[in-house]
C-alpha cells in the first residue's frame, strides 16, 4: 500500500520529485501483473491518466527539466534585482513595482511547478494552494501599480487612473 499526492509530505513519498506524484513498482518482464489504484482529489473521486514509465528515464528527464527551470527562475530573479538596483539610480517607483511583480510571479511559478514544495516547504504539502493564490493576486496588484506609475496615469489619463484605483482597492 503506497501513497503519493500533494497531501503527502515529500519525505514520505516513494520517489521524491516534488512536481509529480510517482510510485515505484517492480514488474518483471515475463509476468502479468494487475495493479489497483484509488484516487481522491480534494474529497472527490475522479479519473486520471496513469502511465508506466522507466524510473531511470523519468529521473533523467527531471534532471534536464531542472536545468531549464533553474535558468528561468534565475533570469526572473536577476531581472527583479536589476530593476531594484535601477530604482536607486533613476528613482522611478515603477522599477520597484515591476521588481515586486516579478518576485510574486517567481513564487507563484515555484509553487505551481512543485519546486517550491520540494525546496522550501517539503513538510507542508497543502501550502502550495494558498501560495499560488496569494502569489498571483499580489502579482496582479503590483502589475497594476507598475502600469499606473510607468504610464503616469494620474497626470495623462485621470479617468483610467480612477478605474485602476478602484481595481486596486477591489483586489485587496
Amino acid at each position: 500500500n503506497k501513497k503519493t499526492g500533494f497531501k503527502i509530505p515529500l519525505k514520505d513519498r516513494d520517489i521524491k520529485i516534488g512536481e509529480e506524484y510517482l510510485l515505484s513498482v517492480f514488474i518483471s518482464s515475463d509476468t502479468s501483473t494487475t495493479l489497483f489504484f484509488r484516487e481522491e482529489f480534494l474529497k472527490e473521486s475522479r479519473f486520471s491518466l496513469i502511465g508506466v514509465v522507466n524510473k531511470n528515464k523519468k529521473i533523467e528527464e527531471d534532471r534536464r527539466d531542472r536545468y531549464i527551470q533553474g535558468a528561468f527562475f534565475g533570469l526572473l530573479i536577476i531581472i527583479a534585482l536589476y530593476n531594484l538596483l535601477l530604482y536607486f539610480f533613476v528613482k522611478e517607483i515603477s522599477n520597484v513595482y515591476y521588481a515586486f511583480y516579478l518576485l510574486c510571479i517567481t513564487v507563484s511559478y515555484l509553487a505551481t511547478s512543485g519546486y517550491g514544495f520540494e525546496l522550501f516547504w517539503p513538510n507542508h504539502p497543502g501550502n502550495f494552494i494558498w501560495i499560488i493564490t496569494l502569489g498571483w493576486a499580489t502579482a496582479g496588484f503590483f502589475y497594476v501599480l507598475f502600469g499606473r506609475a510607468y504610464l503616469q496615469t494620474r497626470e495623462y489619463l485621470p479617468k483610467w487612473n480612477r478605474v485602476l484605483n478602484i481595481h486596486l482597492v477591489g483586489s485587496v
Side-chain angles (χ1 to χ4, degrees), residues 107-123:
V107 169
S108 298
Y109 280 143
L110 275 171
T112 303
S113 68
Y115 293 126
F117 166 68
E118 187 175 340
L119 299 171
F120 301 114
W121 54 89
N123 296 322

Side-chain angles (χ1 to χ4, degrees), residues 2-155:
K2 296 182 178 187
K3 291 183 178 183
T4 191
F6 77 89
K7 292 182 179 180
I8 307 298
L10 194 63
K11 65 180 171 59
D12 297 336
R13 291 187 187 178
D14 193 23
I15 299 175
K16 294 163 180 45
I17 296 176
E19 66 186 275
E20 300 200 34
Y21 312 126
L22 304 171
L23 296 171
S24 67
V25 179
F26 177 75
I27 302 173
S28 177
S29 60
D30 59 345
T31 62
S32 174
T33 304
T34 302
L35 300 172
F36 292 97
F37 294 92
R38 188 186 77 160
E39 181 182 29
E40 184 179 301
F41 183 75
L42 298 175
K43 304 292 182 198
E44 174 183 311
S45 293
R46 65 185 182 114
F47 177 77
S48 347
L49 297 174
I50 296 173
V52 178
V53 295
N54 181 303
K55 181 180 176 182
N56 293 333
K57 279 187 179 180
K58 187 64 183 168
I59 290 173
E60 184 61 36
E61 285 176 17
D62 181 65
R63 184 175 295 129
R64 207 174 28 249
D65 288 345
R66 285 173 187 266
Y67 287 123
I68 295 168
Q69 291 289 334
F72 174 69
F73 291 129
L75 283 174
L76 285 175
I77 291 170
I78 287 169
I79 294 170
L81 292 174
Y82 169 76
N83 275 277
L84 284 174
L85 186 64
L86 194 61
Y87 168 74
F88 292 110
F89 292 105
V90 183
K91 301 294 183 201
E92 286 285 331
I93 193 68
S94 62
N95 293 99
V96 174
Y97 294 147
Y98 188 65
F100 282 126
Y101 163 72
L102 287 176
L103 292 174
C104 291
I105 292 290
T106 303
V107 169
S108 298
Y109 280 143
L110 275 171
T112 303
S113 68
Y115 293 126
F117 166 68
E118 187 175 340
L119 299 171
F120 301 114
W121 54 89
N123 296 322
H124 305 286
N127 284 355
F128 84 96
I129 293 172
W130 68 266
I131 290 173
I132 292 170
T133 304
L134 186 63
W136 285 113
T138 53
F141 181 79
F142 282 115
Y143 189 70
V144 172
L145 285 175
F146 164 71
R148 281 182 52 219
Y150 186 75
L151 297 174
Q152 300 174 5
T153 58
R154 182 178 293 153
E155 183 179 341

